[in-house]
Amino acid sequence: MKRRCYLVYALAPEDVHASEANDLFNEYIGDDDRGLAVYHDHFMGRHGGIAVFDVQTEEELAKLHDPGPLAGWELESYPLTFSRTAVGFVAQTDFTLRAYRDVEL
């Protein structure tokens, strides 16, 4: 397998309160076996969040797809085209800011 960053999109069931959803999502991203968590944020309104992981091994990829504490959530992951590593994710962020908003990171 080739190293690559993955975007994870997670939505909690509607009956899960914000604080519980935040704690569960933090537990999911805090598991080192899922790869290096490069970025994350939580949603307002419908509870859940997004995260970007730098995944280097088949074992990390398998663990990324294991919902663990997010069992019962809507959970999707997508490999990213240009962000192959954590450094690549930061470089892509810098490129996007400069190219589309003329802003330096």
Side-chain angles (χ1 to χ4, degrees):
M1 113 155 233
K2 291 186 178 182
R3 182 179 185 180
R4 181 160 306 275
C5 284
Y6 285 76
L7 176 104
V8 172
Y9 175 84
L11 289 175
E14 292 192 27
D15 62 340
V16 175
H17 297 286
S19 61
E20 181 185 6
N22 290 347
D23 290 346
L24 291 169
F25 191 62
N26 287 339
E27 182 181 342
Y28 175 87
I29 67 168
D31 186 338
D32 292 342
D33 292 337
R34 288 190 170 88
L36 175 65
V38 178
Y39 168 84
H40 91 285
D41 206 344
H42 302 265
F43 299 146
M44 296 177 63
R46 178 80 189 268
H47 307 303
I50 61 168
V52 173
F53 290 86
D54 182 341
V55 176
Q56 299 182 40
T57 67
E58 292 287 343
E59 293 79 16
E60 289 176 347
L61 184 59
K63 185 70 173 189
L64 189 75
H65 293 123
D66 175 359
L70 305 184
W73 288 40
E74 293 177 42
L75 187 63
E76 298 183 42
S77 66
Y78 302 94
L80 300 177
T81 300
F82 299 116
S83 300
R84 294 188 180 146
T85 66
V87 172
F89 179 79
V90 173
Q92 184 65 17
T93 302
D94 181 53
F95 168 78
T96 302
L97 287 169
R98 283 184 293 106
Y100 296 98
R101 293 297 183 264
D102 196 29
V103 173
E104 295 290 325
L105 182 60

